Amino acid sequence: MATHAPTILVFFDGACGLCNGFVDFLVARDTEGALRFASLQGQTAASYPTLPAVDSVIVDDGTRLLVRSDAAIAAIAQLGGAWSAVRVLKVVPRAIRDAVYDFIARNRHRWSGRRSSCRVPSEHERSWFLP
């Protein structure tokens, strides 16, 4: 896996089936190694000084912490190539994007279930995940 700068850190709910599916989606398409992942239940999240009180996805892009729809858009856009086009969603007002995001976040456990433990990365994926 090549290193792509800048690397962004995606925090996710390790017990959420939908959040884990989002991570699976990102890992499968991150051919440049542009992303790193840490479970919100893990050591990295616990040691973060100012992690927002969000329980689904948070992105640290190296300069700021992004939440809700901004976090999802930033993570997908970091994949590069055609995935960068997701930035066009920024023309939709944040209030609308976040309302949709919040609706999905509120229902995610009902739709995709809860896991009893956090995602365990495969041998190939380990370099993407922080404790």
Side-chain angles (χ1 to χ4, degrees), residues 1-5 7 32-34 36:
M1 160 175 57
T3 303
H4 180 272
T7 299
E32 298 294 321
R36 294 296 175 272

Side-chain angles (χ1 to χ4, degrees), residues 3-18:
T3 303
H4 180 272
T7 299
I8 67 172
L9 177 56
V10 178
F11 290 98
F12 66 100
D13 178 357
C16 167
L18 184 63

Side-chain angles (χ1 to χ4, degrees), residues 26-50:
L26 294 170
V27 167
R29 290 156 183 82
D30 185 19
T31 59
E32 298 294 321
L35 302 170
R36 294 296 175 272
F37 302 93
S39 166
L40 287 167
Q41 295 85 356
Q43 295 171 356
T44 301
S47 68
Y48 239 72
T50 57

Side-chain angles (χ1 to χ4, degrees), residues 44-66:
T44 301
S47 68
Y48 239 72
T50 57
L51 208 56
V54 175
D55 67 351
S56 50
V57 176
I58 302 168
V59 165
D60 179 350
D61 72 358
T63 60
R64 64 205 160 150
L65 295 173
L66 304 169

